[in-house]
Amino acid sequence: MMNGLRMYGLLFRASIRSRMQYRFNFWFSSVMLAVISIVEFLLLAIVLLKFGHIKGWSLAEAGWLFSVLSLSRALYRTVANDVHNIESYLVSGELDGLLLRPIPVLSALMSRNVSFRFGEVFQGIGILAVSMSTLMREGQIGWLSIPLTVFVILSGAVLLFAIGLITATAGFWLTRITELQNITEDAARTAVQYPMSIYPRWLQGILVGIIPVGFANYMPGLFVLRGDTGWWMLPLTACIAGALFILALFVWRFGLSRYQSTGS
Amino acid sequence: MLFYVLARKTYVRNLQYRGAHLINTIASSLFGFIYMSIWAAIATDQPLGEYGSAGIVSYVAFNQCSLWVAAFLTNGLGIEQSVRTGGIALELMRPTHLFYQLMCKEWGQIAYQFVYKFLPIYALYAVVLPMYMPHSLKTWLATAVALLLAGYISICINYLIGATALWTTESRWLFWVNYAFNSLLSGFLIPLEWLPKPLAFIAHWSSYPSLNYIPTRIYLGLSSPSTLVRSVAWAVFLTICCLGLTKLMRRKVEVQGG
């Protein structure tokens, strides 16, 4: 385990060094990602500025939900970018090369094409800071909410990683998984960028029970922002993220044992 | 004839992936439900102007369908990939203009997406939502023309984005940035009259409203077909830009070696 982590750290740094050989590309892609993310938030902000609130959720609260999810995603995609891009490895047969390496396949995959998501991180921290300071001024939350928010972001990153890994594992049977990722990662994440209470019950059920991405921001947000539910919501959130992560590792190991190369 | 052959080939190639695309269609309809839920939640305690709560749901639903004609095109019409493999040199040498070749292929893509994505999502929404349907043939025809113009304008924009691959290795990001601006300035989620003034001003002077806002308002009977004049003007202007840029591309081509 320790050896795997050490190797991951080494390969992670090597990947950053290789990316930094193309500095312009690196900064250009970072700025573009930030622009995309800001425009996504603008869509939500414009609606809330025009109509005041959405099912009782203010702009500051919605900003918290949006930025917490943004930061969790940036963290997940920074440490495990190519887990999301596994399809190209499966289609081209490139995964065979990783199987020959003297390190776990997952570590090798995670450490390739590391993408530091500066743009998303700065944008996320900016929106989070503005949202939280507004809520603090209004007396809705206190200083304690800062460490709790950090906890929610970290737990959310683990949860998103677990969902991403389970989806990636499906690729061992399906090979092409972009369409599946469209549902489990993109649609689910887009849905919880907005307060979940706006959705019909069946959709809320999916986002909490089947693809539990609601635990990345909305569910813990109920406690951190509003004191609804009880303190137990945070340990529950972490437990769900941890349990799903362990399940994802088991599923990954099983899927890898069933891997058949495309031979291309 | 060449138009038909190239478009048909793209259409038939796409048919091979109908199964995978079906999941994609489900995901797309889910996205639509997400956006509709936002407006449904707002409409519970506020009036929504000339749209009303039922109208805004139809507005978002039709926009979600239209994305498959006006937004989800081949990234940069595949030019970036051609530059990467070196194939662009061959394509520029062909006796047919590069813009025309790629446009023909893309119409095949749009036709496929219309049949296998636009129509199924539209049918689903028509069944499960109180979706507005135009009553006059004139409105249906004007909507069809508006969608054709939207598809054409989107092809031109993607051609311009793809062409930048000749000068930068990062052109694919422009595709995503264009998509992000499209969702904001085309009136896809928020009708243009509800945008803050500076953004509404930018939107009105850009080609984006021709992709969603104009076709959907014509469909809903809120705008007259005469608003299509703007789309036609943009189509002409962007065609000139595409032809001019191709001239520039033919002067000097540097490929990445394949």
Side-chain angles (χ1 to χ4, degrees):
Chain A
M1 178 73 179
M2 286 313 289
N3 195 36
L5 278 177
R6 198 177 58 79
M7 282 305 293
Y8 170 72
L10 199 69
L11 291 167
F12 186 86
R13 286 196 296 276
S15 183
I16 291 173
R17 272 203 302 279
S18 79
R19 272 192 74 84
M20 292 311 280
Q21 300 303 311
Y22 303 93
R23 274 174 206 275
F24 170 76
N25 294 16
F26 175 78
W27 289 112
F28 184 72
S29 59
S30 295
V31 171
M32 292 294 113
L33 260 175
V35 169
I36 292 166
S37 197
I38 287 169
V39 170
E40 274 185 358
F41 180 68
L42 265 180
L43 282 172
L44 172 64
I46 290 168
V47 172
L48 284 166
L49 283 172
K50 170 94 185 153
F51 296 99
H53 65 88
I54 181 168
K55 278 262 168 97
W57 286 78
S58 66
L59 177 57
E61 288 174 315
W64 188 91
L65 293 177
F66 184 94
S67 52
V68 160
L69 190 71
S70 238
L71 289 168
S72 294
R73 179 170 178 265
L75 211 58
Y76 147 52
R77 293 295 292 272
T78 297
V79 298
N81 190 45
D82 272 11
V83 167
H84 182 78
N85 299 328
I86 195 171
E87 184 182 295
S88 62
Y89 289 84
L90 295 169
V91 173
S92 67
E94 219 183 320
L95 197 76
D96 301 8
L98 298 187
L99 284 166
L100 296 173
R101 295 199 175 178
I103 53 167
V105 178
L106 186 57
S107 301
L109 191 66
M110 284 166 62
S111 57
R112 288 172 69 96
N113 298 318
V114 168
S115 75
F116 254 132
R117 304 204 155 216
F118 281 120
E120 272 179 303
V121 170
F122 286 139
Q123 171 270 128
I125 290 174
I127 295 172
L128 188 62
V130 173
S131 302
M132 289 186 77
S133 60
T134 306
L135 292 168
M136 279 181 182
R137 264 201 313 277
E138 291 167 355
Q140 187 174 335
I141 55 172
W143 289 102
L144 183 65
S145 60
I146 295 175
L148 294 183
T149 300
V150 173
F151 177 82
V152 173
I153 291 169
L154 294 175
S155 157
V158 174
L159 185 76
L160 295 182
F161 181 24
I163 293 170
L165 189 57
I166 292 174
T167 313
T169 306
F172 292 125
W173 289 276
L174 304 175
T175 308
R176 292 232 178 244
I177 53 161
T178 309
E179 278 76 19
L180 188 63
Q181 285 173 328
N182 240 322
I183 294 179
T184 60
E185 296 199 54
D186 303 334
R189 183 180 56 82
T190 304
V192 293
Q193 275 176 357
Y194 306 96
M196 255 171 52
S197 53
I198 65 172
Y199 300 122
R201 288 268 170 214
W202 62 269
L203 192 52
Q204 287 186 28
I206 291 174
L207 296 170
V208 171
I210 298 175
I211 310 168
V213 72
F215 282 96
N217 62 350
Y218 181 80
M219 299 303 278
L222 287 175
F223 174 69
V224 176
L225 298 177
R226 304 182 150 198
D228 291 350
T229 73
W231 62 267
W232 49 264
M233 179 51 83
L234 294 184
L236 176 69
T237 298
C239 281
I240 287 174
L244 201 67
F245 181 62
I246 292 167
L247 176 72
L249 289 178
F250 274 111
V251 172
W252 168 264
R253 194 171 290 184
F254 178 70
L256 197 59
S257 70
R258 295 288 183 278
Y259 170 63
Q260 283 184 316
S261 174
T262 53
S264 41
Chain B
M1 186 61 192
L2 180 70
F3 176 90
Y4 176 73
V5 171
L6 289 176
R8 191 171 178 280
K9 276 186 188 298
T10 313
Y11 186 94
V12 172
R13 195 188 65 225
N14 269 294
L15 284 179
Q16 308 300 318
Y17 303 105
R18 266 175 295 183
H21 291 164
L22 179 67
I23 303 175
N24 205 224
T25 308
I26 296 169
S28 181
S29 58
L30 278 176
F31 273 103
F33 279 120
I34 292 168
Y35 299 129
M36 281 175 243
S37 302
I38 296 170
W39 286 114
I42 290 170
T44 51
D45 45 20
Q46 343 217 6
L48 294 174
E50 61 178 328
Y51 295 93
S53 56
I56 199 75
V57 167
S58 297
Y59 178 89
V60 175
F62 194 77
N63 275 341
Q64 185 64 29
C65 301
S66 309
L67 286 181
W68 290 104
V69 174
F72 295 142
L73 270 53
T74 309
N75 188 341
L77 302 191
I79 299 177
E80 192 208 6
Q81 195 64 22
S82 294
V83 173
R84 200 170 280 269
T85 59
I88 188 74
L90 190 67
E91 283 176 29
L92 280 167
M93 276 195 293
R94 290 206 170 116
T96 317
H97 198 280
L98 180 69
F99 176 62
Y100 184 65
Q101 285 175 53
L102 296 178
M103 183 191 70
C104 296
K105 286 184 194 167
E106 205 56 28
W107 275 119
Q109 180 79 22
I110 291 175
Y112 171 83
Q113 291 182 171
F114 180 76
V115 175
Y116 285 93
K117 295 186 175 185
F118 182 106
L119 290 180
I121 297 173
Y122 183 86
L124 174 72
Y125 289 162
V127 172
V128 301
L129 298 170
M131 181 102 175
Y132 172 84
M133 300 260 180
H135 303 297
S136 80
L137 182 65
K138 190 180 147 201
T139 310
W140 282 108
L141 284 175
T143 308
V145 174
L147 284 176
L148 284 172
L149 282 166
Y152 181 74
I153 288 171
S154 200
I155 286 175
C156 292
I157 293 173
N158 268 283
Y159 183 80
L160 295 174
I161 289 172
T164 59
L166 281 161
W167 295 281
T168 168
T169 53
E170 295 287 318
S171 75
R172 68 181 180 283
W173 288 105
L174 295 178
F175 173 81
W176 290 110
V177 169
N178 172 55
Y179 178 67
F181 279 121
N182 181 13
S183 57
L184 182 65
L185 301 175
S186 72
F188 161 69
L189 180 63
I190 308 166
L192 298 186
E193 55 271 31
W194 293 346
L195 288 180
K197 279 216 169 91
L199 279 178
F201 178 79
I202 296 170
H204 276 295
W205 287 100
S206 74
S207 59
Y208 290 115
S210 299
L211 305 181
N212 280 123
Y213 186 71
I214 291 177
T216 304
R217 279 189 59 98
I218 289 175
Y219 171 83
L220 293 174
L222 297 172
S223 291
S224 82
S226 63
T227 47
L228 284 174
V229 172
R230 279 181 54 173
S231 302
V232 173
W234 271 108
V236 171
F237 174 70
L238 288 168
T239 307
I240 294 167
C241 291
C242 290
L243 297 178
L245 193 66
T246 314
K247 264 195 177 162
L248 208 64
M249 287 162 78
R250 293 177 74 103
R251 277 197 200 152
K252 185 183 176 193
V253 178
E254 281 183 44
V255 295
Q256 289 171 31

